[in-house]
Amino acid sequence: AYVEASETIMRPRALSPATRQWFVDAWGSDDGTRWLLDDYRVLDENFATIGQLNVPNYAPSDPAYQVGGIISPDGTRAYVLTYKMSDTTSGAQTVPARVYVFPTTASPPPDYAVATLGYFELANYPGCTSNSLACHRTVPTAISLDGKTLFIAGSERFIVQPLPPEGTLTPAN
């Protein structure tokens, strides 16, 4: 069964093996037509995969570590917060955190990468970066109802970040 978010009705549904997948975080658009699961997979209102959000590496041998994400209220954009992978094991911030922006209106073939519009930087990492067991790196992320401001609640900082105009995003690698 599933809840049809646009109608708030519980409906029966036979799930295929492709849609029976485990996930931790799920963020939906206001009308339920777009869903972001675990900061990397976008689904439509029928839970069909629209595409994968593949975040580019910080450097060829230093991947991005995805720590949070959210989908815009209108379902047209997904925002994914990343740290530089090597910073998560060294415990020291060497570069700013990045928020990658993805369009979520197109439908590439399932499981294909969604194009990256670019990214913007945050001055600080909102959460811890050590490899200690006490460091929980997942960062709760929210977006304002008008879709113009991100709220990022890390273990070390709470960041209120107005979203920059798309023409000012740094191109992804």
Side-chain angles (χ1 to χ4, degrees), residues 27 39 67-73 79-81 83 99 120 122 124-127 138-155 157-164:
W27 305 100
D39 310 328
V67 295
I70 194 78
I71 199 155
S72 64
Y79 301 92
V80 178
L81 172 63
Y83 295 170
V99 177
F120 60 92
L122 304 176
N124 296 296
Y125 287 175
T138 302
V139 178
T141 308
I143 193 166
S144 61
L145 295 176
D146 65 4
K148 295 181 180 181
T149 306
L150 288 180
F151 301 94
I152 304 166
S155 59
R157 290 174 187 79
F158 179 76
I159 297 173
V160 177
Q161 178 68 46
L163 292 171

Side-chain angles (χ1 to χ4, degrees), residues 64-102:
Y65 183 81
Q66 294 174 222
V67 295
I70 194 78
I71 199 155
S72 64
D74 65 3
T76 62
R77 298 286 179 263
Y79 301 92
V80 178
L81 172 63
T82 67
Y83 295 170
K84 184 178 175 185
M85 180 67 83
S86 61
D87 286 358
T88 66
T89 56
S90 71
Q93 179 178 346
T94 61
V95 297
R98 292 179 181 173
V99 177
Y100 284 87
V101 182
F102 297 88

